[in-house]
């Protein structure tokens, strides 16, 4: 058992034994028993029988081969390999030897040892050139995974597979594998462009179809290839022929689906997918989603959900699209899965704002608020539009404005006929007060959005006790009073525009734009100041109608009042429609005392008549005008905000990543790839030359310390230190040679950092790893070279540098597999990833542009059209 122990372990430990007491039976009987048990599928018992056979006769080829084959079927790689090797050391008939080499090659292939598999299978096909299985195995192992294998190996593998298909008993479908491999081999077209050899692949597929015209799988493969090469009419014919020849074959319907999709006929692709699913091969959710989006069919999206699994990309987004809850991030993700620009627009448009309700001004205000709320850059406008819509359905909003201490609050109280607005407050504690009809009480609204309710008496106490720091936190105070006049009008009592609190002045100026009309209160002693002209010009520009009230006229003579009124009208002109004199405090006192004469003398009836004719009787017109002005302001401000955001509304996911111009980045990637490949090609030559120079230099060094010993009895001798010196010398030469290669490659790799996501450091790491691996590989070869040179070559060679170089040069490490191939794969992988990243960026850019158009630019254009239509009404 000693020999068997070494190569395959103890067989009594491998299996539980077969209960056969004839462990010392003749070898041939055990071989027959092993074959019988292998034929019955009892592989463990077969191993035990063959094991006893080789114990009985270690030269029994049949026993070793049977053992190896049984172990291989059990996927016990190392024992099977050693058994095959042992068999091949014995006298084996050539046919059996070739079969063993083929089996060993297939074993190596399953173990992933491609180089050894190719070596054994090449030996096998020499002896069995017409054996389909062996030729097929060699073709498949040369092709490998179709990615990491060298182009030359893939080409050769394709040729072997085609040969296997043409042999007697060969399967025509092997030509499909040959075509797939050929389609991945770079090929230079007559025009000089490099690309897959699609023509050769097509020839192989057509040959397969001619050999097996009824094979729907082959025709389906041909149809796919034709579709991929844009031969859509021919592809459709082949796919239809496949479904006709074998209507029950899912692969035929899958090909027809792919052909329809390639032609942009997603409705046809959807129907083919249904036929494919009906035949027991439902496509994955990604396919259903793609064809449903391509068909722009909401019902098909519902159908696609039935084929999804919980973690399928796009499943959750599809559900949200259908129920109307998809956010912008989800739109970006789902649209990126759509197969065409039209399908991506379908996704984006599905959650875009509805058409502008041009014939309904109230609805248009709400629609504008909905548009603004979708994007961060427009969120302030969303709040503004929400307030505008709420105000549109309320009574007329009149802002009472003027400079501080002009008597605005007194005018408000006189108009209401009750002391509802606080008077005598200081500039630092003044607040924006809105008077509305109600049972009494009030509400304090703060800048942070929260509100505080107050009962009737508490309102005045709150305002009178207000401290400066508290007043700064308040946006407005709403005061409710059961005053009949407030059913028709809501009054905004604002602090003076020359208030000491900037925040209050800003809010007051906002109301100047939000109000339906403005009453401007002048003080008789200082009317029509420059600061008032500035504010009134702003109101006039905004299209607001302004009624002037000259307050405190009881402090001047009638002639003085007339002169001041004339002065205001002359100075302000069209900025104020009319100026009406008023003694507000006297008017309030008269109303509180029910003194009609006092009220009449105060000028209040004239003010009320002016308000009625200028504002109240035209309330509907003023409300409409305010809404239109608000929408125009929103349109202007939204476009300014979008321009400030660089043309892409903030808040659209990944829009910033889409800003890089993909065409420029692609040009950079192409240049980087060309530079890397050019440097790599140059180093393939230069490094070998440097390594050869290092070995040549080492030969000179060796000659110098060996030459004196050549005089002693004609024998060339060396000491152990000489062997160590040579190893160090060659190792140093290898390190120095590869260091120059690294410098050249790293210089080219760092140019990748100019790409949007860089990548230079990734390439440099791959280069360093490959160089370190090569140095370790070279070090092992050099150790062997030094030992062989001094112990074998040196005593027999001519002592000159040329002979020594020739002896050492045989050991020069080849950098192709250990160094250049890994770097070449790293470059290919980097380029593929960078190209995929650029594709993703380009797609993001496209979707962001669609979102900007469908969600912002398009709606704003629709709003402009709606405003023009409403203005004509």
């Amino acid at each position: 058992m000693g020999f068997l122990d070494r190569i395959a372990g103890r067989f009594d430990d491998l299996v539980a034994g077969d209960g056969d007491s004839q462990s010392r039976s003749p070898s041939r009987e055990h071989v027959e028993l092993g074959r019988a048990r292998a034929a019955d599928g009892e592989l463990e018992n077969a191993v035990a029988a063959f094991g006893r056979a080789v114990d009985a006769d270690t030269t029994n080829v049949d026993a070793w081969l049977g053992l190896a084959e049984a172990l291989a079927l059990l996927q016990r790689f190392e024992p099977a390999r050693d058994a095959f090797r042992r068999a091949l050391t014995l006298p084996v008939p050539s046919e059996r030897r070739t079969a063993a080499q083929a089996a060993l090659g297939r074993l190596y292939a399953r173990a992933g040892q491609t180089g050894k598999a190719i070596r054994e299978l090449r030996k096998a096909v020499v002896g069995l050139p017409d054996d389909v299985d062996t030729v097929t195995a060699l073709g498949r192992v040369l092709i490998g995974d179709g990615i990491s294998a060298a182009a030359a190996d893939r080409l050769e593998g394709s040729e072997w597979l085609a040969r296997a298909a043409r042999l007697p008993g060969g399967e025509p479908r092997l030509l499909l594998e040959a075509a797939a491999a050929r389609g991945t081999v770079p090929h230079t077209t007559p025009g000089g462009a490099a690309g897959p050899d699609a023509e050769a692949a097509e020839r192989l597929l057509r040959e397969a179809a001619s050999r097996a015209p009824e094979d729907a799988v082959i025709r389906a493969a041909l149809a796919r290839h034709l579709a991929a090469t844009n031969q859509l009419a021919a592809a459709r014919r082949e796919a239809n022929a496949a479904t006709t020849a074998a209507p029950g074959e899912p692969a035929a319907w899958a090909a027809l689906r792919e052909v329809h999709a390639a032609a942009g006929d997603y409705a046809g692709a959807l129907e083919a997918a249904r036929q494919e699913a009906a035949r027991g091969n439902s496509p994955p959710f990604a396919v259903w989603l793609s064809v449903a989006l391509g068909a722009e069919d909401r019902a098909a999206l519902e159908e696609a959900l039935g084929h999804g699994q919980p973690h399928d990309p796009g499943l959750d987004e599809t559900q949200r699209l259908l129920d109307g809850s998809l956010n912008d991030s989800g739109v970006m993700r789902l649209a990126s899965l759509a197969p065409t620009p039209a399908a991506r627009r379908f996704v984006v448009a599905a959650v875009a704002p509805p058409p502008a309700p041009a014939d309904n001004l109230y609805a248009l205000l709400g629609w504008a608020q909905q548009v603004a709320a979708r994007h961060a850059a427009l969120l302030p406008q969303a709040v503004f539009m929400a307030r505008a819509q709420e105000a549109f359905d309320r009574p007329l909003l009149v802002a009472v404005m003027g400079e501080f201490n002009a008597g605005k609050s007194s005018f408000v109280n006189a108009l209401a006929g009750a002391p509802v607005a606080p008077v005598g407050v200081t500039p630092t504690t003044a607040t924006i007060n809105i008077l509305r009809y109600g049972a009494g009480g009030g509400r304090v609204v703060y800048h942070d959005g929260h509100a505080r309710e107050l009962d009737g008496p508490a309102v005045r106490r709150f305002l009178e006790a207000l401290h400066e720091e508290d007043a700064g936190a308040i946006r407005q105070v709403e005061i409710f009073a059961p005053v009949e006049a407030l059913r028709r009008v809501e009054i905004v009592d604002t602090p003076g525009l020359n208030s000491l609190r900037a925040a209050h002045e800003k809010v007051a100026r906002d109301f100047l734009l939000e109000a339906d009309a403005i009453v401007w209160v002048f003080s008789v002693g200082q009317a029509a100041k420059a600061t008032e002209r500035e504010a009134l010009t702003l109101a006039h520009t905004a299209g607001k109608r302004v009624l002037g009230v000259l307050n405190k006229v009881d402090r001047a003579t009638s002639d003085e009042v007339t002169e001041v009124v004339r002065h205001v009208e002359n100075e302000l002109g069209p900025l104020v429609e009319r100026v009406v004199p008023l003694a507000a405090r006297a008017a309030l006192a008269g109303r509180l005392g029910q003194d009609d004469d006092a009220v009449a003398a105060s000028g209040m009836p004239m003010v009320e008549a002016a308000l009625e004719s200028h504002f109240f009787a035209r309330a509907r017109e003023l409300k409409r005008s305010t809404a239109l002005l608000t929408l125009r302001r929103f349109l202007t401000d939204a476009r300014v905000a979008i321009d400030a955001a660089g043309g892409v509304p903030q808040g659209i996911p990944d829009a910033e990543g889409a800003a890089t111009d993909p065409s420029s980045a692609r040009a950079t990637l192409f240049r980087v790839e060309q530079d890397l490949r050019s440097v790599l090609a140059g180093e393939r030559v230069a490094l070998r030359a440097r390594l050869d120079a290092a070995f040549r230099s080492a030969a000179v060094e060796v000659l110098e310390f060996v030459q004196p010993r050549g005089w002693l009895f004609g024998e060339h001798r060396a000491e152990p230190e000489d062997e160590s010196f040579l190893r160090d010398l060659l190792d140093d030469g290898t390190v120095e040679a590869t260091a120059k290669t690294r410098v050249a490659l790293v210089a080219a790799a760092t140019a990748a950092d100019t790409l949007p996501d860089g990548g230079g450091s990734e390439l440099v790491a791959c280069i360093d790893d490959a160089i370190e691996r090569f140095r370790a590989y070279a070090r092992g070869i050099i150790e062997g070279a030094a030992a062989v040179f001094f112990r074998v070559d040196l005593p027999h060679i001519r002592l000159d540098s040329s002979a020594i170089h020739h002896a050492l040069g045989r050991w020069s490490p080849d950098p192709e597999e250990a160094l250049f191939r890994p770097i070449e794969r790293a470059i290919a992988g980097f380029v593929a990833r960078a190209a995929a990243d650029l594709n993703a960026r380009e797609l993001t850019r496209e979707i962001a542009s669609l979102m900007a158009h469908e969600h912002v630019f398009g709606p704003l254009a629709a709003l402009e059209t709606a405003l023009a239509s409403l203005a004509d009404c």
Side-chain angles (χ1 to χ4, degrees), residues 86-105:
R86 181 67 178 86
L88 291 171
T89 64
L90 300 172
V92 183
S94 60
E95 186 174 338
R96 295 289 305 281
R97 175 177 294 277
T98 302
Q101 290 169 335
L104 180 57

Side-chain angles (χ1 to χ4, degrees), residues 636-648 857:
T636 300
D637 291 350
R639 284 173 170 164
V640 169
I642 291 170
D643 287 342
V648 176
F857 298 131

Side-chain angles (χ1 to χ4, degrees), residues 755-777:
L755 290 165
D757 280 345
S761 58
E762 172 191 346
L763 280 172
V764 169
C766 290
I767 291 167
D768 286 342
D769 181 66
I771 285 177
E772 285 304 314
R773 287 176 181 273
F774 172 70
R775 286 173 176 172
Y777 158 75

